[in-house]
Amino acid sequence: MFADDLAIICETETELQCALNSLSQYCRQNGLKINTNKSKCLVFHRGRLPDCSFFLDNNALEIVNNFCYLGFTFSTQLSFTSHLQELVAKANGRIGVLRSRLPLRELPLSLVLDIFGCYILPIFRYGLGLWMASYSNSACQSANAVFTKYLKAYLGVPYHSNNAIVHHITNTTPLMITLQNLVNQSAGCFQFPTALHGYRPSFLAPATGPALYDAIPQIPSYFWRSKVFHVLPRLAFNRKQLCREIFDSNHHLKFCTNQQFHMLDYDTCTCIGCGELITHYHQYFCTQLQDQ
């Protein structure tokens, strides 16, 4: 029980129906009424849904595929993919509010990261030890994209820019790896009855040490031709110009014969200076462009 909510958990269909009958009898004896339209049943199973039905006060209860309880979206197979996707949508909405109210691009990187840790990260940290046990790869990528898009907007580079390079130049790690390292810390807030002494709940996996992230192996080799810098510029315009040169994002505007936006293609992109096919950072090696 929590406030005016009640959740009944049973292992079999018969056991749950007996519990519902007992609940109905208790409510009649104590003058309480239950809104059966808001009462739902969720059957945890694998494969096809078992043939079952449940009644409360002679009213059939709806059997649903997922249910939100205390902020967690539970599914029939105990996958928290939907829950993580809802967190991603909530985080993106809050980032939109921050952008409308704060001059994020005019702030130093350290403060921008602190703002993310203060206003966005807690959205994912709620119940982290519970939902971190099961989610899909696509949901994981969507969660990581929340942080990388936040950083790319600050750097002033397109959203298709390489994520490993973004983490490398900002000295950050993907969001899901950060959350994995917070799981053990978050699990410490759970309190269990003494009857569970000596047992470990299934969703609390044994600690395996911190999850490490190394962006270097994932960075494409052409990146090491880019301009070397020591500190990201504080001014948004200068930072955008530098980062677009580092990511080689402006080739279609300055060096390619195709002036419309497109991804760099070694087979079709041609230099406006020398007429040869363009590779990454072609402007550093083209004598025609350097003369201009």
Side-chain angles (χ1 to χ4, degrees), residues 102-118:
L102 295 176
L104 293 178
R105 294 185 179 181
E106 308 301 328
L107 303 177
L109 177 61
S110 59
L111 184 54
V112 170
L113 295 177
D114 288 341
I115 290 174
F116 186 90
C118 180

Side-chain angles (χ1 to χ4, degrees), residues 207-218:
T208 58
L212 303 178
Y213 175 74
D214 184 8
I216 300 299
Q218 304 179 48

Side-chain angles (χ1 to χ4, degrees), residues 109-292:
L109 177 61
S110 59
L111 184 54
V112 170
L113 295 177
D114 288 341
I115 290 174
F116 186 90
C118 180
Y119 290 97
I120 309 302
L121 194 60
I123 295 176
F124 295 93
R125 293 195 62 175
Y126 173 65
L128 182 61
L130 178 61
W131 67 260
M132 197 69 176
S134 176
Y135 50 81
S136 66
N137 290 332
S138 61
C140 177
Q141 294 174 0
S142 298
N144 283 330
V146 171
F147 189 36
T148 54
K149 288 182 178 180
Y150 179 81
L151 293 174
K152 290 173 184 177
Y154 175 77
L155 297 176
V157 297
Y159 286 154
H160 63 75
S161 302
N162 185 275
N163 293 332
I165 298 178
V166 171
H167 290 301
H168 175 65
I169 67 176
T170 57
N171 194 26
T172 57
T173 59
L175 176 61
M176 293 302 290
I177 292 182
T178 300
L179 294 175
Q180 288 176 7
N181 291 326
L182 293 173
V183 168
N184 292 335
Q185 176 184 346
S186 301
C189 65
F190 287 107
Q191 296 182 357
F192 300 100
T194 55
L196 292 180
H197 179 70
Y199 293 90
R200 176 185 293 274
S202 59
F203 62 84
L204 293 181
T208 58
L212 303 178
Y213 175 74
D214 184 8
I216 300 299
Q218 304 179 48
I219 293 178
S221 58
Y222 62 76
F223 167 75
W224 305 114
R225 297 179 179 178
S226 65
K227 178 180 291 188
V228 177
F229 72 98
H230 299 286
V231 180
L232 286 173
R234 171 71 179 273
L235 295 178
F237 176 80
N238 294 340
R239 183 173 60 249
K240 178 180 178 180
Q241 293 299 109
L242 172 64
C243 289
R244 283 185 172 266
E245 183 175 353
I246 292 174
F247 284 85
D248 197 23
S249 303
N250 291 331
H251 92 277
H252 65 284
L253 297 176
K254 299 182 178 180
F255 317 116
C256 187
T257 54
N258 183 3
Q259 296 295 300
Q260 296 183 353
F261 172 78
H262 62 281
M263 301 292 291
L264 177 60
D265 187 346
Y266 287 174
D267 297 326
T268 59
C269 292
T270 306
C271 175
I272 60 177
C274 63
E276 297 181 357
L277 294 176
I278 294 179
T279 59
H280 280 92
Y281 309 109
H282 178 79
Q283 64 274 20
Y284 295 160
F285 310 100
C286 180
T287 57
Q288 299 295 329
L289 293 176
Q290 292 175 359
D291 294 340
Q292 296 176 3

Side-chain angles (χ1 to χ4, degrees), residues 1-8 23 26 32 69-70:
M1 294 183 291
F2 182 83
D4 59 343
D5 287 337
L6 172 65
I8 301 176
L23 175 63
Y26 175 87
L32 300 175
Y69 185 68
L70 300 183

Side-chain angles (χ1 to χ4, degrees), residues 76-89:
T76 56
Q77 298 184 357
L78 277 180
S79 171
F80 290 96
T81 295
S82 298
H83 178 72
L84 181 54
Q85 290 173 342
E86 292 180 4
L87 297 182
V88 168

